Amino acid sequence: MHIDLDQAESGRGFGARVCVVGAGIAGLLVATRLAERGQYVVLLEAGGLELEERSQNLYDAGMGGERHSGTTEGRFRTFGGTSTRWGGQLLPYTEDVFAPPVGVESVGWPISEDKVKPFYVELQRMLGVDQLPFDAGLLGALGRSGVGFSDDVRLRFSKWIPFAKRNLARTLGKVALEHPKITVVTHANVVELEGVGKVSAARIVDYAGRAFRCEAESFVVAMGTIESARLLLCSPDVPNEHEQVGRYFHDHVSWRAAEFAGAERERMLAALGPFVVEGTLHTCKLEASTALREREKLLAVMAHVVIEEPEDSGVAAVRNLLTSVQHGKVGEALRRDLGPMLRGLGDVARLVFYARFKQRRGVSARARVWLHVDVEQPARFERAVELSDERDALGMRRAVVSWRVGEAEREAARRYAVVVRAELEKVGMGAVRWSDEPVLVDTFHAMGGLRMGNDARGSVVDSELRVHGVENLYVASCAVFPGGGSSNPTFTMMGLAMRLAERLAR
């Protein structure tokens, strides 16, 4: 059932066994899994079924340090959340993320990889990707030989969800809207959680300023990293005596380290360019191995190939069209991209031929091929989501993101680039041009702020994602990540959300 507060009567109340705040990736996973297990759920979404300017404006935030681009460009306040715009990259965290090598500045987790891993097979099936290995076993499965790197480099491959399945509003969202045990409420802005020691209600405000309430036995905050922290900071009943709420905010930072050209470019693409298997795109990651990290005291760090197609190419036109399929705006895309596609028919034919007959993604001759180095950020108390004195249109205090890049990240990127450069040159894939010094930017992978741990003096949620000191409040978000590893965090976050849903169902 769907209720739009724009059309609802004033003062209406909502109630269910579980109230899930936020209908993005995590919220949709939790709500639909609970409903499958027979639980009644109210799913509150602050935006509408489509992206709206009035909703998006509520994400305006201040910057308390360097500019964090993901705060303003990487968040979407709408049904489906960031899945309406994300790239759909899946890569699980490895055990050295949960339990980092001794002497490394990375922060360990209070759970092991085995707590999340059981959900990966089901998630891959749900998201429409193949079940091939994420590690170098992929090459063997495809009948290809190894690359020849030393044990210092761990070869792994991301999987990319097909465009038609990336927007979860069109898949799980449709299930939620039609499920008899789920009530989806849109334009429902939760501004406070009420109840000392046990949340009794979520206080809701619509865009006309009218007040509503949702009561439940359990509450799951699934609003994304920054908004989840903001909500808890705006809820005086949520304990924060140790000032942990909002702290230890982090991201991955990325450096465009080198470019491939000429013969080196062709050798790189032949060995490590993107693979396509039954509609699933696989892209290569060169991760620092656990042994290298322990020996060199390295943060989690990896290098990966980025292919940049000219915007006037047929390949770019195909990509733009598929992205519009994800957004649900195919007609608009056909009007915009049909001409470039027709002009670039050679590029389009190359894409089709390579995918069908060579299990590779075609790359146009004009594409630039880069090597990026991505690094996790170590835990820093001063990196935080905080509250401004300024209030938004609903009367809620705005967020301030205090974030910056540190020397530890630069040093890890610099040192790992030396390792990767030597490995590439050894196997004949040396890059042509290398940058002299790391210039690091965020990657829209906001994490932390409500980090997981065993002690309320140093964390916000426990290993079951329950907020310390609150009997029935849980968080399903990358906000709980103590450390970020070097991989895209979303797949691990989805596993955590599924694990939480199973716990609540029991």
Side-chain angles (χ1 to χ4, degrees), residues 371 416-426 430-432 434-435:
L371 186 77
Y416 190 58
V418 172
V419 173
V420 171
R421 183 172 188 171
E423 294 284 347
L424 290 173
E425 289 175 351
K426 180 179 69 176
V432 176
W434 283 84
S435 300

Side-chain angles (χ1 to χ4, degrees), residues 1-7 23-24 28 43-55 76-81 83-85 167-178 183-188 207 326-329:
M1 178 170 65
H2 173 217
I3 297 171
D4 185 346
L5 287 192
D6 281 354
Q7 279 80 50
L28 286 170
L43 180 58
L44 303 175
E45 169 53 47
L49 296 182
E50 301 290 340
L51 193 63
E52 304 167 357
E53 185 176 357
R54 64 173 180 174
S55 299
F76 301 95
R77 196 179 179 102
T78 185
F79 191 66
S83 80
T84 61
R85 297 295 188 276
N167 185 348
L168 297 193
R170 302 164 66 86
T171 55
L172 290 181
K174 183 178 179 181
V175 172
L177 290 167
E178 297 175 354
T183 300
V184 176
V185 186
T186 54
H187 299 123
Y207 288 87
Q326 178 181 353
H327 298 172
K329 299 184 182 297

